[in-house]
Amino acid sequence: MKRTTGTDRSITRNWRPATQAVRAGTWRSEMGETSEAMFLSSGYSYDDAATPAARFAGDQAGMTYSRLQNPTVAMLEERIAVMEGAEACRTQASGMAAMTAALLCQLSAGDHVVAARAAFGSCRWLVDELLPRFGIEGTTIDSTDNAAWEAAIRPNTKVFFFETPANPTLDIVDLAHVCGLARSHGITTVVDNAFCTPVMQRPMEFGADVIAYSATKLMDGQGRVLAGAVCGTEEFINDKLLPFQRNTGPNLSPFNAWVVLKGLETLELRARRQCDNALKIGRFMEGRVPVIKHPGLASHPRHDMAMRQMTMPGCIFSFVLDGGRQQAHALLDQLQLIDISNNIGDARSLMCHPASTTHHSVGAEKRAEMGVDEGMLRFNVGLEDADDLIEDLDRALAAIGL
Ligand SMILES: *Cc1c(COP(=O)(O)O)cnc(C)c1O
């Protein structure tokens, strides 16, 4: 394998995001291929017995087994690390595998976690159901309340865990404040950056320690594969994450890594277009529906903060209808162009009713506490022409009397 300029951090860290997304992390084989090679190999062979001995001892760089490292996966990990401004990155089979690894690799019985109460349903399940089984207690708070973070800290608090913007309430966490508070108490922040990706928000610039991803979302961006990633310091990745990952095996397949590499090439372009569409459609929806939650609209309670933290306004928004679940389902059933689907970040426009899908399993009581209203719909705005999407919504809203 030959190095390209993409493998030199002293060069790649100065590139702008669109360049990093196409070039960073690229190695070339002897064939000189332009597109990254896909290494579908679980194992590796050696010229002599001393070579694997040196590699297993850590004295020589090189491949040994694809649960430990794989060239295609390594290219993706380097690209994500550079884009995120992190020292290191490792990928996992899904976003939830990434969240689970990021938490379990550093927590032990007797530790305490403070987490945002408004979160992706499975992220809440980790804090509410999984961690307590291993003696790790969690406190969930209103993540938009800066004082609540401080009040929840205990002597054994090890981790702050949150999303910003949150799925599906679009709550914005004050990154600089919350990450600064954590640092001053020796607490590690784990930020789920799935709604943004590094082309829209780089939480490490605000003091975040660990960034965990669903790369299924905007990074693949075309609804093809599940993927996850965890970014952090070399120390965190090597000493905490890698021992956990290498021995438990939530690894990303080389094929899926390759698909995400192809997705990253167009990430910045797609994100711009999808955000432009989302703002245009958000403005159309304001006044047409009772409540709309989009960080890019002045009506969002933390609009100014969101625009300081994010470099683009986001392509996902939620809105609430007065008629509850029945009216929300009725609107979905009127859509012709926009799909009823619970994925996000996709090039296709997708709408879902979180209370009956992504947040079904958290239960009615927690949904009410999180602000996931029965009449809420979450809209992933895709790459289609915004005017076609507006016409679909206009017609569907009129059909249910709005
Ligand atoms: C989708 C999502 C996840 C889970 O990712 P998967 O790739 O589906 O496992 C976690 N957090 C947030 C905010 C998400 O939107």
Side-chain angles (χ1 to χ4, degrees):
M1 294 287 279
K2 289 189 291 192
R3 290 181 164 275
T4 68
T5 47
T7 60
D8 186 343
R9 281 277 180 107
S10 68
I11 295 172
T12 57
R13 68 162 178 254
N14 298 318
W15 285 342
R16 289 154 190 86
T19 309
Q20 292 171 335
V22 179
R23 296 278 185 171
T26 308
W27 288 75
R28 290 206 166 109
S29 79
E30 294 65 25
M31 302 301 156
E33 67 282 350
T34 47
S35 176
E36 297 79 2
M38 197 197 305
F39 289 90
L40 288 178
S41 184
S42 45
Y44 305 86
S45 62
Y46 316 97
D47 289 340
D48 51 46
T51 301
R55 289 186 189 173
F56 276 88
D59 297 333
Q60 188 195 93
M63 301 293 142
T64 53
Y65 188 61
S66 284
R67 180 155 40 74
L68 281 66
Q69 66 283 92
N70 171 279
T72 309
V73 173
M75 286 193 256
L76 175 64
E77 292 172 341
E78 174 64 13
R79 187 169 299 176
I80 295 175
V82 168
M83 292 181 72
E84 198 59 61
E87 286 177 15
C89 169
R90 285 296 180 275
T91 52
Q92 293 77 27
S94 68
M96 286 321 301
M99 303 304 153
T100 306
L103 295 173
L104 283 185
C105 79
Q106 59 174 323
L107 291 166
S108 304
D111 289 344
H112 174 247
V113 173
V114 183
R117 68 184 180 203
F120 184 63
S122 295
C123 293
R124 272 297 299 258
W125 185 87
L126 293 183
V127 174
D128 294 345
E129 307 289 336
L130 183 73
L131 296 182
R133 283 190 211 163
F134 299 98
I136 303 155
E137 256 192 286
T139 304
T140 49
I141 56 151
D142 173 358
S143 63
T144 65
D145 179 351
N146 284 358
W149 286 101
E150 184 151 22
I153 295 173
R154 299 182 193 168
N156 58 338
T157 304
K158 290 282 161 58
V159 165
F160 279 1
F161 179 43
F162 61 88
E163 307 161 12
T164 183
N167 186 356
T169 59
L170 282 302
D171 284 354
I172 298 289
V173 176
D174 184 342
L175 278 172
H177 177 86
V178 173
C179 296
L181 178 70
R183 283 260 165 108
S184 68
H185 286 80
I187 294 166
T188 302
T189 41
V190 177
V191 181
D192 177 343
N193 203 24
F195 262 45
C196 288
T197 79
V199 300
M200 287 193 213
Q201 175 172 271
R202 304 212 311 167
M204 282 186 176
E205 289 173 357
F206 298 87
D209 299 305
V210 176
I211 314 295
Y213 269 109
S214 170
T216 312
K217 311 296 167 57
L218 272 161
M219 286 194 175
D220 170 29
Q222 287 144 88
R224 301 166 296 193
V225 298
L226 297 184
V230 178
C231 300
T233 59
E234 292 270 6
E235 190 188 358
F236 176 82
I237 297 292
N238 292 338
D239 299 350
K240 300 244 163 62
L241 188 79
L242 275 182
F244 179 87
Q245 176 152 343
R246 290 178 162 185
N247 294 299
T248 59
N251 302 55
L252 182 63
S253 85
F255 178 81
N256 289 2
W258 183 84
V259 173
V260 178
L261 277 166
K262 297 302 101 187
L264 287 179
E265 291 179 1
T266 55
L267 172 63
E268 208 253 1
L269 259 181
R270 286 185 283 107
R272 276 188 198 287
R273 167 72 175 245
Q274 289 182 240
C275 287
D276 286 351
N277 278 356
L279 260 191
K280 188 167 178 187
I281 296 166
R283 292 200 179 104
F284 160 78
M285 295 288 277
E286 265 188 328
R288 190 75 180 262
V289 295
V291 178
I292 174 161
K293 296 164 188 262
H294 187 318
L297 295 174
S299 57
H300 190 287
R302 282 188 150 178
H303 168 67
D304 292 339
M305 184 188 291
M307 293 304 95
R308 282 196 302 274
Q309 296 180 176
M310 299 164 69
T311 53
M312 296 185 212
C315 62
I316 299 151
F317 67 82
S318 294
F319 57 96
V320 183
L321 302 180
D322 285 337
R325 179 179 297 222
Q326 203 185 355
Q327 197 176 30
H329 278 199
L331 182 72
L332 289 177
D333 288 337
Q334 289 297 329
L335 297 170
Q336 287 175 354
L337 169 59
I338 300 161
D339 286 314
I340 305 170
S341 174
N342 43 275
N343 196 10
I344 54 167
D346 199 292
R348 289 158 203 77
S349 290
L350 312 173
M351 199 179 287
C352 87
H353 178 246
S356 56
T357 59
T358 53
H359 289 69
H360 165 74
S361 70
V362 299
E365 201 179 312
K366 277 187 202 162
R367 280 200 299 275
E369 170 203 289
M370 290 163 89
V372 180
D373 198 280
E374 283 291 306
M376 179 182 277
L377 289 164
R378 189 192 68 196
F379 187 18
N380 169 70
V381 181
L383 287 176
E384 304 93 336
D385 191 304
D387 290 334
D388 287 324
L389 296 168
I390 288 172
E391 282 170 26
D392 196 32
L393 285 165
D394 186 33
R395 194 192 34 71
L397 286 165
I400 63 163
L402 291 174

